[in-house]
mmCIF file with all atom_site columns, all heavy atoms in Angstrom:
data_model
loop_
_atom_site.group_PDB
_atom_site.id
_atom_site.type_symbol
_atom_site.label_atom_id
_atom_site.label_alt_id
_atom_site.label_comp_id
_atom_site.label_asym_id
_atom_site.label_entity_id
_atom_site.label_seq_id
_atom_site.pdbx_PDB_ins_code
_atom_site.Cartn_x
_atom_site.Cartn_y
_atom_site.Cartn_z
_atom_site.occupancy
_atom_site.B_iso_or_equiv
_atom_site.pdbx_formal_charge
_atom_site.auth_seq_id
_atom_site.auth_comp_id
_atom_site.auth_asym_id
_atom_site.auth_atom_id
_atom_site.pdbx_PDB_model_num
ATOM 1  N N   . GLY A 1 137 ? 37.245 34.024 31.255 1.00 0.00 ? 137 GLY A N   1
ATOM 2  C CA  . GLY A 1 137 ? 36.563 33.258 30.230 1.00 0.00 ? 137 GLY A CA  1
ATOM 3  C C   . GLY A 1 137 ? 36.161 34.100 29.028 1.00 0.00 ? 137 GLY A C   1
ATOM 4  O O   . GLY A 1 137 ? 36.116 35.336 29.094 1.00 0.00 ? 137 GLY A O   1
ATOM 5  N N   . THR A 1 138 ? 35.789 33.379 27.937 1.00 0.00 ? 138 THR A N   1
ATOM 6  C CA  . THR A 1 138 ? 35.388 34.016 26.688 1.00 0.00 ? 138 THR A CA  1
ATOM 7  C C   . THR A 1 138 ? 34.123 33.392 26.201 1.00 0.00 ? 138 THR A C   1
ATOM 8  O O   . THR A 1 138 ? 33.972 32.153 26.217 1.00 0.00 ? 138 THR A O   1
ATOM 9  C CB  . THR A 1 138 ? 36.454 33.862 25.640 1.00 0.00 ? 138 THR A CB  1
ATOM 10 O OG1 . THR A 1 138 ? 37.703 34.418 26.063 1.00 0.00 ? 138 THR A OG1 1
ATOM 11 C CG2 . THR A 1 138 ? 36.028 34.577 24.341 1.00 0.00 ? 138 THR A CG2 1
ATOM 12 N N   . VAL A 1 139 ? 33.163 34.214 25.807 1.00 0.00 ? 139 VAL A N   1
ATOM 13 C CA  . VAL A 1 139 ? 31.922 33.718 25.172 1.00 0.00 ? 139 VAL A CA  1
ATOM 14 C C   . VAL A 1 139 ? 31.791 34.411 23.790 1.00 0.00 ? 139 VAL A C   1
ATOM 15 O O   . VAL A 1 139 ? 31.819 35.637 23.744 1.00 0.00 ? 139 VAL A O   1
ATOM 16 C CB  . VAL A 1 139 ? 30.655 34.057 26.016 1.00 0.00 ? 139 VAL A CB  1
ATOM 17 C CG1 . VAL A 1 139 ? 29.405 33.498 25.317 1.00 0.00 ? 139 VAL A CG1 1
ATOM 18 C CG2 . VAL A 1 139 ? 30.791 33.457 27.396 1.00 0.00 ? 139 VAL A CG2 1
ATOM 19 N N   . ILE A 1 140 ? 31.691 33.629 22.756 1.00 0.00 ? 140 ILE A N   1
ATOM 20 C CA  . ILE A 1 140 ? 31.546 34.203 21.376 1.00 0.00 ? 140 ILE A CA  1
ATOM 21 C C   . ILE A 1 140 ? 30.238 33.681 20.782 1.00 0.00 ? 140 ILE A C   1
ATOM 22 O O   . ILE A 1 140 ? 29.905 32.515 20.824 1.00 0.00 ? 140 ILE A O   1
ATOM 23 C CB  . ILE A 1 140 ? 32.703 33.810 20.477 1.00 0.00 ? 140 ILE A CB  1
ATOM 24 C CG1 . ILE A 1 140 ? 34.022 34.307 21.063 1.00 0.00 ? 140 ILE A CG1 1
ATOM 25 C CG2 . ILE A 1 140 ? 32.518 34.301 19.060 1.00 0.00 ? 140 ILE A CG2 1
ATOM 26 C CD1 . ILE A 1 140 ? 35.255 33.952 20.235 1.00 0.00 ? 140 ILE A CD1 1
ATOM 27 N N   . PHE A 1 141 ? 29.492 34.649 20.198 1.00 0.00 ? 141 PHE A N   1
ATOM 28 C CA  . PHE A 1 141 ? 28.239 34.323 19.514 1.00 0.00 ? 141 PHE A CA  1
ATOM 29 C C   . PHE A 1 141 ? 28.439 34.498 18.025 1.00 0.00 ? 141 PHE A C   1
ATOM 30 O O   . PHE A 1 141 ? 28.969 35.542 17.576 1.00 0.00 ? 141 PHE A O   1
ATOM 31 C CB  . PHE A 1 141 ? 27.120 35.294 19.953 1.00 0.00 ? 141 PHE A CB  1
ATOM 32 C CG  . PHE A 1 141 ? 26.736 35.190 21.389 1.00 0.00 ? 141 PHE A CG  1
ATOM 33 C CD1 . PHE A 1 141 ? 27.291 36.029 22.359 1.00 0.00 ? 141 PHE A CD1 1
ATOM 34 C CD2 . PHE A 1 141 ? 25.794 34.263 21.835 1.00 0.00 ? 141 PHE A CD2 1
ATOM 35 C CE1 . PHE A 1 141 ? 26.969 35.950 23.673 1.00 0.00 ? 141 PHE A CE1 1
ATOM 36 C CE2 . PHE A 1 141 ? 25.441 34.180 23.155 1.00 0.00 ? 141 PHE A CE2 1
ATOM 37 C CZ  . PHE A 1 141 ? 26.029 34.976 24.097 1.00 0.00 ? 141 PHE A CZ  1
ATOM 38 N N   . THR A 1 142 ? 28.081 33.514 17.240 1.00 0.00 ? 142 THR A N   1
ATOM 39 C CA  . THR A 1 142 ? 28.188 33.625 15.784 1.00 0.00 ? 142 THR A CA  1
ATOM 40 C C   . THR A 1 142 ? 27.031 34.337 15.177 1.00 0.00 ? 142 THR A C   1
ATOM 41 O O   . THR A 1 142 ? 25.874 33.893 15.312 1.00 0.00 ? 142 THR A O   1
ATOM 42 C CB  . THR A 1 142 ? 28.302 32.207 15.141 1.00 0.00 ? 142 THR A CB  1
ATOM 43 O OG1 . THR A 1 142 ? 29.498 31.547 15.629 1.00 0.00 ? 142 THR A OG1 1
ATOM 44 C CG2 . THR A 1 142 ? 28.404 32.285 13.626 1.00 0.00 ? 142 THR A CG2 1
ATOM 45 N N   . GLY A 1 143 ? 27.299 35.482 14.595 1.00 0.00 ? 143 GLY A N   1
ATOM 46 C CA  . GLY A 1 143 ? 26.264 36.265 13.921 1.00 0.00 ? 143 GLY A CA  1
ATOM 47 C C   . GLY A 1 143 ? 26.386 36.203 12.427 1.00 0.00 ? 143 GLY A C   1
ATOM 48 O O   . GLY A 1 143 ? 27.056 35.365 11.861 1.00 0.00 ? 143 GLY A O   1
#
Side-chain angles (χ1 to χ4, degrees):
T138 303
V139 180
I140 299 180
F141 296 94
T142 297

